[in-house]
Every structure is written in structure tokens, then in C-alpha cells.
Amino acid sequence: KAGVTQTPRYLIKTRGQQVTLSCSPISGHRSVSWYQQTPGQGLQFLFEYFSETQRNKGNFPGRFSGRQFSNSRSEMNVSTLELGDSALYLCASSFSGTVRGDEQYFGPGTRLTVT
Amino acid sequence: QQPVQSPQAVILREGEDAVINCSSSKALYSVHWYRQKHGEAPVFLMILLKGGEQKGHEKISASFNEKKQQSSLYLTASQLSYSGTYFCGTERGDDKIIFGKGTRLHILP
């Protein structure tokens, strides 16, 4: 079956702009988690959605938001971009969530560069 | 709250063994191990759940000491394909995985 897909793969934005990233999970998976990966901080949890509801949120400012649609596709939005938001944004899907022992499947990521 | 991984980096020759450790200061529900090769997405290796259940690939072994909040990943008879960065992620039963900063493993032929 098809893996997790993320669009776009690369993005260059200017400080102050906003950006929307998209993630399509593996068919049948209802949980989608988002992570920010940077060389200095590693993989940091942003939030997790399950059946269109945000179940968990990491320690990121309110400029980072997300949503999930009825088909489990998810989007994350970052408003008022800052230089420090430059990172690889990864989404991962699982059947019902990691607390139930489900493995996550990661997408290839979206590389965001803020200038 | 972020788990601590050790060592930060290790270089091995093909065929040698390695152990990567992950420790947390908080009580854990599960520990997750992933490997990421340069320029690629992290790939699932193993989940260790409180109570002893494990899910993962046959060639990978790991342990989870619930009392000490520690986990170790054992890589035996390493192959060139094992190179990459290994991340442990800890979860406290809330569907939120907190990843360590990773252990870089380089296998020499």
C-alpha cells in the first residue's frame, strides 16, 4: 500500500509569511502526528490528531496549528514565520495511536526554509 | 523530559556489536526505536511496552527496564546498512512521543 505522503517537499518563505503543509496518511490510519526536526533540537513533537480531534500538543507557540479532515489527511499551518522555523517537518501516521503500541510510519518530510 | 541517549556517536567495523542506551527521568509507558538514514525519513525498528510486550523486526533486539526507565537497543553482527542515526522515543501513555537527540552510528567495511 502507498506510504505517507507530504506536500510540498520543499518550500522557501519569507519572515512574517504563513505556510500550510499537507500530509496524507497510509490508508486506514486514523492517527497523524507532526514533528519538527532540526540539527540542534532533533525530533520535536508538535501535535497529534485522531479522528479529526487534536489529542495532544507539544511545547510550541500558538503560531503552529493543525487540523485533520474526515479522510484522515492532515494539514499544519505556521503563521508569522520566523527564521527559527526553518526545519524539516515530518508527519507520521499510525492505525490508532502510539499509546496502543502502534508503530508510526513517517513521510519524507517538507523542508521549510525561512529567509 | 527529553530522554537521554548514549553514546552520542559510535564507529564500528562491520561484524562488531553495539549497544545504544536511552534513559528517562519519568515513568514510561513505552519506548520506541527508529533509525534515520541521511536524507530519509525515520524508519520504525521496535516498540517496547510496559508489561513486557514488544513489537519489532526480527533482527533487532532491545530491552526495557520499567523500574529504571531505561531501554537499550542491541545491534549484533553489524552490517553496513545499519549506519544511520538511531532515535529512541519515550511515551507516558498519552500518545505523545518525546524523542532523544539521537545516536549516530557509522559502520566501516
Side-chain angles (χ1 to χ4, degrees), chain A residues 35 37 40-41 43 45 48 55-57 97-104 106-107, chain B residues 2 29 32 34 36 41-42 44 47 49 55 87 91 93-97 99 101:
Chain A
Y35 296 89
Q37 186 173 33
Q41 297 298 321
L43 273 165
F45 175 82
E48 187 236 357
R55 267 199 312 206
N56 234 311
K57 193 177 190 309
T98 54
V99 75
R100 289 150 189 84
D102 289 345
E103 61 189 87
Q104 290 188 115
F106 281 84
Chain B
Q2 183 178 38
Y29 180 84
H32 304 241
Y34 287 81
Q36 185 177 31
F44 167 80
I47 293 175
L49 297 162
K55 297 180 184 180
F87 292 98
E91 184 184 30
D94 56 2
D95 270 314
K96 185 162 81 170
I97 298 179
F99 284 97
K101 293 195 173 183

Side-chain angles (χ1 to χ4, degrees), chain B residues 35-93:
Chain B
R35 177 174 61 213
Q36 185 177 31
K37 293 182 180 289
H38 184 67
E40 299 180 10
V43 173
F44 167 80
L45 293 176
M46 178 162 282
I47 293 175
L48 302 103
L49 297 162
K50 186 177 179 179
E53 185 180 356
Q54 295 186 2
K55 297 180 184 180
H57 296 286
E58 293 179 358
K59 295 186 178 181
I60 300 288
S61 64
S63 64
F64 178 20
N65 186 322
E66 296 172 30
K67 289 184 179 179
K68 293 185 177 181
Q69 291 91 251
Q70 292 176 347
S71 178
S72 295
L73 185 71
Y74 305 97
L75 303 170
T76 57
S78 57
Q79 304 171 18
L80 293 175
S81 62
Y82 288 7
S83 291
T85 300
Y86 289 76
F87 292 98
C88 79
T90 55
E91 184 184 30
R92 300 175 62 193

Side-chain angles (χ1 to χ4, degrees), chain A residues 62-101:
Chain A
R63 301 185 296 107
F64 292 82
S65 62
R67 58 177 177 169
Q68 186 180 34
F69 302 95
S70 58
N71 61 357
S72 293
R73 189 178 69 86
S74 178
E75 289 182 346
M76 68 161 281
N77 185 78
V78 188
S79 62
T80 319
L81 284 166
E82 300 177 359
L83 294 178
D85 296 334
S86 294
L88 180 67
Y89 290 88
L90 293 160
C91 83
S93 77
S94 66
F95 183 70
S96 57
T98 54
V99 75
R100 289 150 189 84

